[in-house]
Amino acid sequence: GYLADSEEYNGSTWTEGNNLPAAKRHHAMAGTQTAALASGGRLGPGPDTATVEQYDGTNWTSAPSMNTARRYLRGFGTQTLAIVAGGSPDGSADAALTEQFDGTSWTEIADLATARNLGGTSQNSSAPAGWYAAGNTSAGTPNSTTEEFTVSLTATTAAAWGSGGNV
């Protein structure tokens, strides 16, 4: 279903946290328990959304929206340097879209080589580097490829996805 619930895990038990401003599902997450982002997804029971909420360890508040509304996307990184990738902009087509959040705004950057949704990503909370593995391509076809994402913060090299080992 569509839930606004937020729960926190302390290593042994779950406790109820403050809820998201709106019920949604299939959104991307990035960050830590005290500085997180919930990006995109689908609002219940309606359309895909580009809205983003940020969490400060106590409350969820609105953050700048992504450029493209979509569900089934995945994310990694920090609250001030996050990556979201893939997904489905209309529930039927898959996207290769990748967007980067710098703490202020979202920018479309290097797309995935394979458009997909519902894969798995790493959660590296110290840098915008990680991977996107498996998932489904158009019409729900399983995909076993892994793509690794890197970005240089000190050089003029653009961010990029590279091939990784298959799942």
Side-chain angles (χ1 to χ4, degrees), residues 3-137:
L3 300 173
D5 287 352
S6 175
E7 296 187 17
E8 296 180 3
Y9 185 68
N10 68 6
S12 61
T13 60
W14 290 92
T15 58
E16 181 70 23
N18 288 327
N19 291 340
L20 288 159
K24 65 182 191 177
R25 65 180 179 183
H26 305 302
H27 51 279
M29 295 298 300
T32 66
Q33 184 169 316
T34 57
L37 292 175
S39 306
R42 188 171 183 201
L43 297 173
D48 294 344
T49 184
T51 60
V52 178
E53 293 79 33
Q54 58 189 5
Y55 189 64
D56 64 8
T58 303
N59 295 306
W60 290 95
T61 57
S62 294
S65 292
M66 299 182 314
N67 294 303
T68 303
R70 57 195 189 273
R71 64 183 104 163
Y72 309 132
L73 66 164
R74 297 295 183 248
F76 54 85
T78 68
Q79 189 182 57
T80 57
L81 197 51
I83 302 296
V84 296
S88 179
D90 61 9
S92 62
D94 297 321
L97 297 173
T98 301
E99 294 187 45
Q100 179 176 315
F101 184 64
D102 64 7
T104 310
S105 62
W106 290 91
T107 303
E108 170 79 22
I109 57 172
D111 287 344
L112 289 161
T114 303
R116 61 179 109 178
N117 65 62
L118 295 175
T121 55
S122 61
Q123 179 54 40
N124 181 346
S125 60
S126 62
W131 48 261
Y132 193 123
N136 294 324
T137 58

